[in-house]
Amino acid sequence: MSKSFQHLIDLNDYPIPWWNKIIKLGHDIKNNPHKYSDVCKGKIMATLFYEPSTRTQMSFQTAMIRLGGNIIGFDNPTSSSVFKGESLKDTTKVISSYSDVLVIRHPSEGAAKAASLTSDCPVINAGDGGHLHPTQTLTDLLTLVEEKGRLHNLVVGLCGDLKNGRTVHSLCKALSCYPNNQFVLISTEDLKLPAYVKDVLTVNNCKFTEVLSLDEAISELDVLYMTRIQKERFPSIEEYLAEKNTYILDRKKMLNAPRDMIVLHPLPRVEEITVEVDDDERALYFKQAEYGVYIRMALIDTILKSKKGLQNLVGQTYLGVSCSNQRCITNSEHYLPKSFSGIGDIVECEYCDERVLLK
Ligand code: CP
């Protein structure tokens, strides 16, 4: 039985006032950083990055250093004992006894949830495969508050790899909880938003349309959220090449965008936004990356101060039933208890949200 901590696995595990509190704190940290320069003195944050990262890892590290704390971790699992075959469970168990908070990025979906089951300190999901990226979403929400002044009444266009883009999944789930937001989902047929995320939009009464053309959609948007085609999630290079460069935002397309539309991108970009767009005052993706430090300072401070915990697994096990998503962590770390939520013949894997047919 694991201890109960305030992990951050999925933003939607928490109520909206909790998100708003962190965003407000991020805003205050941005304006008054000196007030927070030693709030984590004596604390240690471990960053376990099983997948490459620039922004998430370094903004977390910068955030902890700016809060007066210390950092340990790895950014290349082949230089750790993971290379010798150590399980996620054992790595998590040991490193959580060295630190006060674990930040984990992993290629398998549900990995952060799995890590939280055996961790002796809070776990923060820094991206689990193509599933979720809640701290990028907090970054995006702070950016919208700072740059658009609101989190409601927005027409948000999301463009590119909506199937594999974890930042898109987390952002849609979060923004659908604020009033009167609409979504224009711009992608090819093969890279559409997963059904489980569209169901969240529907349940939250959000209007959304699925379109193929960025040119046609751009004039109606308040926010354009561009994304990279996630090469590493494709089964073959041919399938990736067939999708690459379908959507490229350039100066010509920006001519049709509203004057007050903003362009966001979680980065890294490859070729989906041309460099000439960087000089447009509506291009805010570098500023967005900077906001990532303030919001992660707010998150670390909040999580380390919290005494309240969340339950880890709340679903059910069914004899002989495994998750059908081959990228789910339960299909590589076999000791993990399988757990499914929901009722009826179709249930959802509690780690990766995959829908599984029981019969
Ligand atoms: N936005 C984001 O997750 O970037 P990195 O992959 O560089 O961390």
Side-chain angles (χ1 to χ4, degrees), residues 49 52-57 105 126 133 136 166-167 266-268 296:
F49 276 60
S53 167
T54 296
R55 272 145 296 276
T56 311
Q57 188 195 28
R105 170 170 289 190
H133 196 344
Q136 179 64 47
R166 57 194 173 199
T167 62
L267 304 177
R296 289 179 173 109

Side-chain angles (χ1 to χ4, degrees), residues 175-245:
L175 277 180
S176 70
C177 296
Y178 291 92
N180 205 27
N181 288 326
Q182 295 179 41
F183 299 87
V184 184
L185 307 172
I186 309 156
S187 78
T188 62
E189 195 58 36
D190 287 339
L191 296 184
K192 280 182 163 180
L193 196 68
Y196 87 88
V197 186
K198 281 191 269 192
D199 287 351
V200 175
L201 302 185
T202 303
V203 165
N204 290 334
N205 291 318
C206 284
K207 283 191 199 153
F208 68 88
T209 51
E210 295 183 289
V211 302
L212 283 170
S213 167
L214 173 58
D215 282 305
E216 285 172 27
I218 200 165
S219 63
E220 62 186 83
L221 305 178
D222 296 312
V223 180
L224 173 58
Y225 197 91
M226 292 296 293
T227 63
R228 174 177 69 91
I229 307 297
Q230 308 263 307
K231 185 180 182 183
E232 64 276 27
R233 314 271 179 236
F234 280 74
S236 70
I237 190 74
E238 290 74 24
E239 285 165 90
Y240 165 68
L241 291 173
E243 297 287 347
K244 185 178 174 274
N245 297 342

Side-chain angles (χ1 to χ4, degrees), residues 343-347 356-359:
I343 44 173
D345 290 348
I346 299 176
V347 290
V356 177
L357 188 62
L358 289 178
K359 288 182 185 165

Side-chain angles (χ1 to χ4, degrees), residues 51-215:
E51 237 191 12
S53 167
T54 296
R55 272 145 296 276
T56 311
Q57 188 195 28
M58 290 196 215
S59 63
F60 261 114
Q61 293 175 339
T62 304
M64 191 50 158
I65 291 167
R66 291 216 171 130
L67 293 169
N70 294 296
I71 55 171
I72 58 170
F74 59 74
D75 56 14
N76 180 354
T78 62
S79 66
S80 77
S81 287
V82 174
F83 188 63
K84 302 174 204 161
E86 186 165 64
S87 68
L88 180 64
K89 175 180 177 174
D90 290 2
T91 302
T92 304
K93 185 78 190 160
V94 172
I95 305 305
S96 67
S97 74
Y98 299 166
S99 54
D100 299 287
V101 57
L102 288 187
V103 179
I104 180 164
R105 170 170 289 190
H106 199 283
S108 294
E109 294 161 17
K113 177 90 186 171
S116 74
L117 302 182
T118 43
S119 176
D120 288 321
C121 70
V123 172
I124 297 175
N125 183 3
D128 58 332
H131 185 218
L132 296 173
H133 196 344
T135 71
Q136 179 64 47
T137 296
L138 285 172
T139 302
D140 300 340
L141 297 182
L142 178 62
T143 306
L144 290 172
V145 169
E146 297 291 329
E147 301 297 336
K148 292 298 287 181
R150 65 187 193 276
L151 292 172
H152 59 281
N153 285 343
L154 292 168
V155 181
V156 182
L158 298 117
C159 179
D161 191 347
L162 309 190
K163 178 183 175 192
N164 299 300
R166 57 194 173 199
T167 62
V168 169
H169 307 162
S170 288
L171 183 60
C172 284
K173 285 174 65 175
L175 277 180
S176 70
C177 296
Y178 291 92
N180 205 27
N181 288 326
Q182 295 179 41
F183 299 87
V184 184
L185 307 172
I186 309 156
S187 78
T188 62
E189 195 58 36
D190 287 339
L191 296 184
K192 280 182 163 180
L193 196 68
Y196 87 88
V197 186
K198 281 191 269 192
D199 287 351
V200 175
L201 302 185
T202 303
V203 165
N204 290 334
N205 291 318
C206 284
K207 283 191 199 153
F208 68 88
T209 51
E210 295 183 289
V211 302
L212 283 170
S213 167
L214 173 58
D215 282 305

